[in-house]
Amino acid sequence: SQTIHQWPATLVQPVGSPLSLECTVEGTSNPNLYWYRQAAGRGLQLLFYSVGIGQISSEVPQNLSASRPQDRQFILSSKKLLLSDSGFYLCAWGKNTEAFFGQGTRLTVV
Amino acid sequence: AQSVTQPDIHITVSEGASLELRCNYSYGATPYLFWYVQSPGQGLQLLLKYFSGDTLVQGIKGFEAEFKRSQSSFNLRKPSVHWSDAAEYFCAVRTASKLTFGTGTRLQVTL
């Protein structure tokens, strides 16, 4: 069966520090991969999605970036965090049907 | 571009009462539609999905949803709510490789 791993579960980072959140999927190949951010009262905002290795589509211009160095690995990064980057980050995978979500990372930028 | 609207931010129902959560979408073709549920601090769990065929779809935990093309709606229903159903519910639409979510409806259940 397929599983998705996302870590860390919580993270507190100072303003201006770098960020790296990692997501890996097991039990499937060539999945679509997604990064979402959830802020209170704003639902889920699609940040990036990828349909293959090295293929990244950005939905929202910001100081975040994503990479897919391997088929089942999706990384969310920032060189310098802003206070506004605080939120709940969710990784998901899917084929051309529904998406399956990780447990999320609560990021607090202080 | 596709969009999803959930007009109710917060709904409170009594345990045992019926529930209907509203969802409207905007998309030119027949969409793939989903309902997800999220407990606090957790990821999202798929409740049900609609691709084609029967417009009334059954999901897990006793939920169902009805696709109405004429109203561009995909409302979620449950005949009798349990206290454990308290959570946030998201409607979503898939187009190509993208999954777009509504802003969610927070359900509170009173005993």
Side-chain angles (χ1 to χ4, degrees):
Chain A
S1 63
Q2 302 87 4
T3 56
I4 179 169
H5 303 282
Q6 185 181 344
W7 66 92
T10 59
L11 190 60
V12 180
Q13 292 284 96
V15 169
S17 65
L19 172 73
S20 180
L21 301 181
E22 187 164 344
C23 173
T24 59
V25 180
E26 296 177 356
T28 187
S29 60
N30 196 31
N32 296 332
L33 296 172
Y34 307 87
W35 278 111
Y36 287 87
R37 178 169 59 200
Q38 186 174 23
R42 296 186 61 185
L44 280 83
Q45 181 185 36
L46 179 61
L47 302 176
F48 302 95
Y49 69 96
S50 171
V51 299
I53 296 175
Q55 301 178 60
I56 308 294
S57 296
S58 175
E59 290 296 298
V60 182
Q62 56 207 327
N63 71 320
L64 297 172
S65 62
S67 62
R68 185 172 178 172
Q70 300 180 44
D71 181 44
R72 291 170 291 175
Q73 184 185 29
F74 205 26
I75 298 172
L76 182 69
S77 304
S78 174
K79 293 182 180 178
K80 288 186 175 182
L81 283 169
L82 306 173
L83 287 173
S84 58
D85 291 324
S86 293
F88 192 52
Y89 289 81
L90 289 157
C91 180
W93 76 272
K95 292 288 190 175
N96 288 318
T97 54
E98 65 267 42
F100 301 93
F101 285 80
Q103 291 301 297
T105 296
R106 173 72 59 190
L107 172 66
T108 304
V109 182
V110 297
Chain B
Q2 70 278 9
S3 66
V4 179
T5 301
Q6 293 180 248
D8 304 306
I9 296 173
H10 189 194
I11 284 182
T12 300
V13 300
S14 301
E15 188 174 41
S18 63
L19 171 71
E20 182 169 27
L21 302 182
R22 296 183 290 166
C23 173
N24 293 96
Y25 66 92
S26 173
Y27 181 56
T30 300
Y32 291 171
L33 295 162
F34 308 87
W35 275 99
Y36 285 84
V37 61
Q38 184 183 34
S39 298
Q42 300 296 311
L44 276 71
Q45 181 183 23
L46 179 69
L47 285 176
L48 47 78
K49 59 189 177 185
Y50 172 78
F51 293 161
S52 64
D54 192 347
T55 57
L56 183 65
V57 294
Q58 303 297 319
I60 62 171
K61 304 185 180 185
F63 286 92
E64 66 178 27
E66 186 171 13
F67 171 61
K68 293 185 177 181
R69 183 189 304 276
S70 61
Q71 298 178 21
S72 297
S73 69
F74 188 55
N75 293 350
L76 182 71
R77 301 194 295 246
K78 186 168 184 177
S80 177
V81 171
H82 188 263
W83 64 266
S84 61
D85 293 324
E88 189 149 21
Y89 292 80
F90 292 93
C91 182
V93 59
R94 168 180 287 284
T95 55
S97 299
K98 293 174 54 175
L99 193 59
T100 302
F101 285 83
T103 52
T105 297
R106 181 164 297 280
L107 174 65
Q108 183 177 357
V109 180
T110 59
L111 300 177

